[in-house]
Amino acid sequence: MTDLTALKYSEEHEWVALDGSTATIGITDYAADALGDIVFVELPAVGTALSRGDVFGEAESTKSVSELYAPVAGTVTEINEAVVDDPALLNSSPFEEAWLVKIEVADGALDGLLDRDGYTAITEG
């Protein structure tokens, strides 16, 4: 089980785990629950440069389509093909198996993101 307090969060419901200069990004369980059954995921190509706040893909459910926003700036180094092949992973395992992209980031990339308590406050309010 992922330690949710070790992650950082965006107000757009993405989570970020930092390992050195690599940020792994996914959507939260709150976002997955709000979307409902996710049936399609579109992710960027490896090598795509992103600025914080850029749309980097979308998740489509039986209820709606939601854009995915980059919570950090950097260059995409890897995408999770398992999620592209089986989008339902976002519903069943949003913090473990269903990470979306890995991005090479610079120092300070997580500045301005929320901790778990801050994220919980905005989703419960």
Side-chain angles (χ1 to χ4, degrees), residues 31-109:
D33 289 344
L35 280 168
D37 294 332
I38 300 170
V39 296
F40 176 78
V41 175
E42 180 180 80
L43 298 174
V46 169
T48 300
L50 298 171
S51 295
R52 182 180 281 198
D54 282 356
V55 173
F56 71 87
E58 65 182 29
E60 183 177 330
S61 72
T62 55
K63 295 194 293 188
S64 67
V65 175
S66 181
E67 293 181 325
L68 304 169
Y69 297 93
V72 295
T75 302
V76 176
T77 58
E78 188 177 349
I79 64 167
N80 188 348
E81 294 288 350
V83 171
V84 174
D85 294 340
D86 184 9
L89 287 173
L90 286 166
N91 296 110
S92 64
S93 185
F95 294 106
E96 287 86 22
E97 295 177 61
W99 58 272
L100 298 170
V101 295
K102 294 189 179 190
I103 297 178
E104 189 71 22
V105 297
D107 288 343

